[in-house]
Amino acid sequence: MKGIKLIACLSLGAAAAATAICVQAATPAAPAAYKAPLNAYGQPDLEGTWTNASLTTLERSKEFGARKALSDAEVKKIEGEDAKMVAEGNAPTDPKVKTTDLPHECGRGFSGAGCGYNVAWIDPGSTVMRVNGEPRSSFLTEPADGRLPPLKAGVVLPPMYAHRGENPENMTLAERCLTSFGYSAGPIMLPLLYNNNYEIAQSKDTVAIVVEMVHDVRLIHIGGKHRTDGERPWMGDSIGWYEGPTLVVETTNFPQDTALHGAWKDLKVTERFTRVGPHRVLYQFKAVDPSVWDQPIAGEYEFSASKGRIFEYACHEGNYALEGILSGARADEAAAAEKAKAAAANKTAAAAPVTGTKKQ
Amino acid sequence: MDRVGGHPNFSGVWSVMNTANWDIEPHLARAALELRPGPVVPVPAKAIVALGAVGSVPAGMGVVEGGKIPYTAEALAKKLDNQKHYLERDPEVKCDLPGVPRANYMALPFQIVQSGKTFLMSYEYAGAVRDVLFTDPGAAPIDSWMGQSFGKWEGDTLVITVTGQNDNTWFDRAGNFHSADMKVVERWTLTSANTIRYEAQITDPATFTKPWKMSMNLYRRLGEDARLQQFKCVEFVEELMYGDLRKEPLK
């Protein structure tokens, strides 16, 4: 089971690495009819359990060009295809079928044994993202084509899977249970294949965002100042303030290990959280890193209220997959060495002159 | 007293100033958490020797009311055996989540984020987190490392009942343990602007002959000390847990 989970996650990780990112910001105004509640401190009340699960992705499919809104027909097609895939995935599996008989393609980029989870185990959302009711083709709204801008000349992303399997440190942060896959914790906070749940809690001087994967808590210091000691904590260094109904969060000091599509050293992410309905929080984001991109990236989506509470995601404590991967790599090496040894022995035997003692 | 939502406001960064995480029972300083027989007196286990004085255990008055934990005879034998195999058994060594009540008196601080309706505890150690529920959630749907916390106010005291914890966590580094049937009833009371009196009653018939209680003070961190740091220790134990599986294990 662990191995199956891992395969699915790896595929997701690879996809995230290839497309990663972020966002931006648009400035949609909150619907005038809704007045966001205040909490006991007189701050905009953002507390609750929220999810950003969505069929909409960070980047826009090229077929939509500069169009950020989807038509009704396009929504029906996207959501219909997902529902069909889910129904097929939920169909009983013939117990006689082997992993080698698995369908070549099973959706979301997975195939064969990499099909991983049954659909019951994943929760990527079943609807496209709607912002102020408008169905969206991507989270990104800037650049206008909804796609990440090219990296500046000379910027090279480190290979993601170099020396994979050689040491635990060569594995991804998520496989090591250090952070989530993709950018679940953020910032920028982006949905994944599953566990797209967050809890927001507010005190007078702190906002805590609990991230289901991997039970990370991002603490935002209201009225605080960025650290200047050169240290770069996980998830960066977040400070915040309130602007009317909106919580504004500014994050800098990102570590290289959690680079956002190559951006970390000079990266500044600005997020805006605005409650736009009893069960909706508008999330807008903007990321700037002049050393990586020639232009900001920005985008938006809406969190919706999660129906349940967040359960514990104790990743490390059950991470049999990492041990399995490393053990598997060592087994592969041993098998390869044995095969090479046998081949060498055969070659030697074939090349050796025929000798023997004739009986006189 | 600062209040929010009509209740005492516990928001802030807190930590103990005791040695309960080493041993919740009264104890003198000793050479190491795991000892082996020596020619004269017990000496540190081989793996601890290199740490010298850093590997020793500081003394403490203990936090168990009455001094001794009322173990059953069988459970006491297991606790003593845990001490003999400390390095391989203490979940803290492997950076596992700490459980309750241990999370509250580890050497690292934790932050309470409280509003009129929310009470969240974020721990520096391993990024552990607890969300106190104020509507009865019923039985925990499944055991977990940090369990399920259900809170209610009794005057100015927050009473939190913690159930649904698995049996993998310990109370301290001295081998004190519990079963998955343990129920913890915590009582959190602000005794000044900067101090909390913390009590926890432990009920676990599978392990103890009767319920017992621990109590201690928690202190508010002020100024530059009041910023929770991160202690994601998972990466710190990879050599311990996976070092033998490296392509080229270290000598």
Side-chain angles (χ1 to χ4, degrees), chain B residues 48-205:
Chain B
I48 301 177
V49 169
L51 287 172
V54 176
S56 58
V57 179
M61 295 296 290
V63 297
V64 177
E65 293 188 1
K68 282 293 179 185
I69 299 171
Y71 278 110
T72 65
E74 183 180 357
L76 179 60
K78 181 176 178 180
K79 172 251 176 84
L80 296 174
D81 194 56
N82 283 341
Q83 291 182 333
K84 292 178 182 175
H85 302 88
Y86 167 77
L87 284 171
E88 62 190 78
R89 292 186 186 175
D90 182 358
E92 185 188 356
V93 170
K94 294 189 288 290
C95 186
D96 289 340
L97 290 168
V100 181
R102 188 176 186 179
N104 300 318
Y105 49 81
M106 302 186 82
L108 301 173
F110 61 96
Q111 182 163 356
I112 295 174
V113 179
Q114 181 185 352
S115 70
K117 58 185 179 181
T118 298
F119 199 99
L120 184 83
M121 287 182 266
S122 177
Y123 295 89
E124 188 166 308
Y125 170 80
V129 62
R130 296 170 65 192
D131 179 25
V132 180
L133 307 172
F134 287 94
T135 300
D136 188 353
I142 190 171
D143 286 352
S144 59
W145 290 79
M146 298 300 290
Q148 172 178 281
S149 294
F150 172 39
K152 63 177 181 178
W153 292 95
E154 291 185 2
D156 285 346
T157 296
L158 177 59
V159 181
I160 306 175
T161 300
V162 188
T163 54
Q165 296 196 75
N166 65 35
D167 60 358
N168 295 322
T169 60
W170 281 8
F171 290 107
D172 56 21
R173 296 170 175 169
N176 289 308
F177 73 104
H178 59 85
S179 79
D181 295 331
M182 177 177 68
K183 181 173 80 171
V184 181
V185 179
E186 302 174 286
R187 297 181 65 86
W188 298 73
T189 307
L190 274 172
T191 48
S192 76
N194 298 319
T195 54
I196 293 173
R197 189 62 180 173
Y198 174 78
E199 299 177 358
Q201 178 169 287
I202 312 297
T203 302
D204 181 3

Side-chain angles (χ1 to χ4, degrees), chain A residues 39-47 199-209 218-223 240-242 247, chain B residues 2-5 8-14 111-122 220 226:
Chain A
N39 64 18
Y41 298 107
Q43 304 160 336
D45 187 354
L46 297 165
E47 289 195 332
E199 179 181 0
I200 296 178
Q202 296 167 275
S203 68
K204 186 176 183 180
D205 61 4
T206 301
V207 175
I209 300 178
R218 182 153 64 108
L219 295 170
I220 298 157
H221 306 285
I222 301 301
W241 59 91
Y242 294 97
L247 166 66
Chain B
D2 182 27
R3 290 179 176 273
V4 60
N9 191 351
F10 289 78
S11 294
V13 179
W14 302 89
Q111 182 163 356
I112 295 174
V113 179
Q114 181 185 352
S115 70
K117 58 185 179 181
T118 298
F119 199 99
L120 184 83
M121 287 182 266
S122 177
R220 183 188 297 278

Side-chain angles (χ1 to χ4, degrees), chain A residues 177 179-180 209-218 235 310-317, chain B residues 95-98 122-123 125-129 146 232 234:
Chain A
C177 290
T179 63
S180 60
I209 300 178
V210 180
V211 186
E212 182 170 7
M213 186 193 292
V214 182
H215 73 252
D216 272 322
V217 182
R218 182 153 64 108
M235 299 173 281
I310 294 178
F311 288 97
E312 184 176 86
Y313 188 108
C315 180
H316 166 65
E317 291 76 1
Chain B
C95 186
D96 289 340
L97 290 168
S122 177
Y123 295 89
Y125 170 80
V129 62
M146 298 300 290
K232 277 180 168 285
V234 170

Side-chain angles (χ1 to χ4, degrees), chain B residues 221-240:
Chain B
R221 294 209 175 192
L222 301 171
E224 61 270 29
D225 300 328
R227 186 142 171 172
L228 206 70
Q229 303 297 308
Q230 296 168 335
F231 189 71
K232 277 180 168 285
C233 49
V234 170
E235 63 177 328
F236 307 148
V237 300
E238 287 180 329
E239 176 60 22
L240 171 69

Side-chain angles (χ1 to χ4, degrees), chain A residues 339-352:
Chain A
K339 187 176 180 181
K341 183 179 175 183
N346 290 337
K347 187 175 181 182
T348 301

